[in-house]
Amino acid sequence: MSFRQNHPYLFWQLIGWGILLANFGFLVAAALCEFGEWSYPIIVFTFIMGLFVVAVSPILVRLKRRRLIPQNTDAYTEKLFTGKISELMNARHGVSSDVLVAVLFLVSMLGFMFAAFILGDRVSLALGFACMVLAIVTPFLIVGIHSRNVVRKFYAVENGEKRVEFTMPAELAELGQKNPRTLVLAGEPSAVLLNLFYNWLAYYLREENAERRLTLYKISAPELCRCYALADFLGYDDVLLCIPEEQLDLTEERLALFRRECDIMSALPFGEFARRSGDA
């Protein structure tokens, strides 16, 4: 997981204070070198942008997390599943689109700042002011549009939670033998999470599954206690969702991708959470 996803608050605070520091350096340079009036909009709007990032980013990060998982406010579940979509799409399709967005972000910002310098100094202060506004707004518009496109492509199936079914294995001992990849939830899965899980795993469903339905093993921690010794970090209200690999088309190439995406989703082997009672 990237630094931005592990520490989103710190990430945006560093960016905000970095912008303010760069603005202060430009202010000192403008004073020493006696820049013209064209520098005023750059100083003012860069200061506003940096202050906005510092003050508002914690609120926006929090709202984004609540929007992704509105039906489950448990801190552990939020930390586990928020921000996974971009990582999954990058693992599946590569990071070329993210690189392109980063390049467009920088080019648009620098391009409009350069235009503000030229137009504000030689043509019209109003045009320089307008370019400075575009230098602040356009990069964030690019990032926002890209993020929405990533989410839209990921959720290829609407209301995927309606295609998810739950079952119990005939015997709990089967889970230890198959050792399926398993997700741990702090409580019952919400429709939002099930929709996310389905759209993730729909890529791997076998072609003969005409109805494109996904069946997961759902076992509560108390049920597992009858046959297994649970990991210390599991709570009484935790629910385990096991992914039956026999439903999935896991050729050699897809198997490697599936395991990499399971690591992104923190879907670990079942044996990481429970062991047969009496085993070492």
Side-chain angles (χ1 to χ4, degrees), residues 108-127:
S108 63
M109 178 178 288
L110 295 176
F112 280 116
M113 289 182 70
F114 180 74
F117 166 71
I118 297 297
L119 296 176
D121 190 43
R122 302 182 181 180
V123 181
S124 169
L125 188 62
L127 288 177

Side-chain angles (χ1 to χ4, degrees), residues 156-182:
V157 179
E158 294 185 6
N159 301 318
E161 71 278 2
K162 296 181 179 179
R163 303 188 182 209
V164 179
E165 299 173 346
F166 300 112
T167 188
M168 281 281 290
E171 295 184 8
L172 290 179
E174 292 182 15
L175 294 176
Q177 296 172 357
K178 295 180 179 179
N179 201 25
R181 290 289 183 141
T182 303

Side-chain angles (χ1 to χ4, degrees), residues 25-92:
F26 182 79
L27 175 63
V28 172
L32 294 177
C33 300
E34 298 182 355
F35 291 167
E37 293 182 353
W38 61 268
S39 64
Y40 299 160
I42 295 177
I43 295 171
V44 172
F45 277 92
T46 304
F47 176 77
I48 293 173
M49 180 174 65
L51 195 62
F52 177 84
V53 173
V54 170
V56 181
S57 62
I59 300 173
L60 296 180
V61 170
R62 185 63 181 173
L63 289 176
K64 182 180 178 181
R65 288 186 167 186
R66 288 185 177 275
R67 187 172 67 251
L68 269 173
I69 311 180
Q71 300 183 32
N72 195 330
T73 58
D74 183 84
Y76 174 75
T77 305
E78 284 193 9
K79 182 178 179 180
L80 193 62
F81 296 109
T82 298
K84 302 292 186 181
I85 293 177
S86 294
E87 286 189 85
L88 290 173
M89 296 298 283
N90 287 341
R92 196 169 294 180

Side-chain angles (χ1 to χ4, degrees), residues 128-204:
F129 181 85
C131 288
M132 201 60 223
V133 173
L134 291 175
I136 297 172
V137 174
T138 303
F140 291 98
L141 285 177
I142 292 172
V143 173
I145 293 171
H146 173 66
S147 298
R148 285 195 294 271
N149 285 337
V150 169
V151 172
R152 179 178 53 81
K153 289 179 181 179
F154 178 80
Y155 286 105
V157 179
E158 294 185 6
N159 301 318
E161 71 278 2
K162 296 181 179 179
R163 303 188 182 209
V164 179
E165 299 173 346
F166 300 112
T167 188
M168 281 281 290
E171 295 184 8
L172 290 179
E174 292 182 15
L175 294 176
Q177 296 172 357
K178 295 180 179 179
N179 201 25
R181 290 289 183 141
T182 303
L183 295 152
V184 177
L185 304 179
E188 290 295 320
S190 66
V192 173
L193 289 177
L194 291 179
N195 189 25
L196 185 150
F197 297 156
Y198 180 84
N199 278 278
W200 165 40
L201 295 171
Y203 176 77
Y204 299 99

Side-chain angles (χ1 to χ4, degrees), residues 220-222 224-225 228-235 240 273-275:
S220 64
L224 284 177
C225 287
Y228 291 94
L230 303 184
D232 295 337
F233 55 82
L234 288 180
L240 279 69
F273 305 110
R275 298 184 182 278

